Amino acid sequence: MTHQPDIDTLGEFLISARSLAEYRAIFALTETDLSGRILDCPGGAASFTAEVSELGATVIAADPIYALPAEHLRTLAVSETDRGNIWATAHLDRYRWDFYGDPQQHRAIRLAAAARFGADLTAHRDRYVAALLPSLPFPDSSFDLVLSSHLLFTYADRLDPDFHLASLLELSRVSGGETRLYPLVDHTGARQDDLVAHLRKELHDKGIRSSLRETVYEFHHGATTVLILHSNRDET
């Protein structure tokens, strides 16, 4: 019998090429946020590092894919953009297209980000560190702001609660300010409220404060919440 693929399973971890405009909307980033030391983990093929570095911030992207040759990554960024767009187009009803307009504009935005990522990767390879959660090669409190999107919670079908907790602890360790995580739904759009509540309790028991903050960005229906981890230095 021929195996039929599960249309509700995305497959391999998707390497996404998001733009600074998307990051601004997702994380409600201010000019102050974009002026310090920032970690994007996992960075994927986003143009965020390139664009914010041009604004004068010190930005590092961390992702295990950066161990691959730059030429391979540039090609991969394009093919993965197409894979993600095909998935989203095949599941139109799961998404709100307000931010992008339609699937064609979504693809165009992501392809532009992929191209900018590829150029910056070639010119500034030092900004892209090959690292795999839950172990990052950075000292404590290395960054003023840590951003993490579309890994934790997104792949809750294959990353267990222990991995999530270890990763959140590690992201918090390297942050001297806020750690912001989005979305709090999985790749099918299913809410991860129980997992979020469990992890917040575990973090609280370990002395790490957390909060939930609404965002105006919504691609998956109902994905309008960012999880914030507060460092001891952060009093907000």
Side-chain angles (χ1 to χ4, degrees), residues 20 23-24 27-43 46-63 66 126-129 136 138-139 141-149 171 174-180 233:
L20 172 57
Y23 275 67
R24 281 185 183 273
F27 294 111
L29 295 171
T30 66
E31 294 305 313
T32 300
D33 291 331
L34 298 176
S35 64
R37 301 165 299 161
I38 306 170
L39 173 66
D40 182 19
C41 179
S47 61
F48 175 81
T49 295
E51 294 188 73
V52 180
S53 293
E54 289 184 359
L55 298 177
T58 300
V59 190
I60 296 293
D63 197 302
Y66 302 150
D126 58 305
R127 295 174 179 168
Y128 300 88
V129 176
L136 300 176
F138 309 115
S141 302
S142 295
F143 302 96
D144 301 306
L145 176 65
V146 173
L147 305 175
S148 184
S149 71
L171 291 169
V174 302
S175 175
E178 288 187 349
T179 300
R180 304 181 191 179
R233 196 186 75 182

Side-chain angles (χ1 to χ4, degrees), residues 178-197:
E178 288 187 349
T179 300
R180 304 181 191 179
L181 300 107
Y182 177 91
L184 307 185
V185 303
D186 71 12
H187 71 271
T188 71
R191 295 175 64 91
Q192 298 299 303
D193 295 350
D194 289 347
L195 178 58
V196 172

Side-chain angles (χ1 to χ4, degrees), residues 82-96:
D82 284 335
R83 182 164 75 94
N85 184 258
I86 289 169
W87 165 270
T89 302
H91 299 85
L92 278 173
D93 60 330
R94 295 182 180 177
Y95 298 94
R96 291 190 59 174

Side-chain angles (χ1 to χ4, degrees), residues 209-221:
R209 296 179 299 116
S210 66
S211 61
L212 299 175
R213 185 180 299 167
E214 293 301 301
T215 173
V216 297
Y217 178 89
E218 183 181 3
F219 192 31
H220 267 299
H221 290 287

Side-chain angles (χ1 to χ4, degrees), residues 62-84:
D63 197 302
I65 65 168
Y66 302 150
L68 298 172
E71 183 177 352
H72 183 106
L73 283 173
R74 288 195 299 270
T75 301
L76 189 62
V78 174
S79 63
E80 285 288 274
T81 293
D82 284 335
R83 182 164 75 94

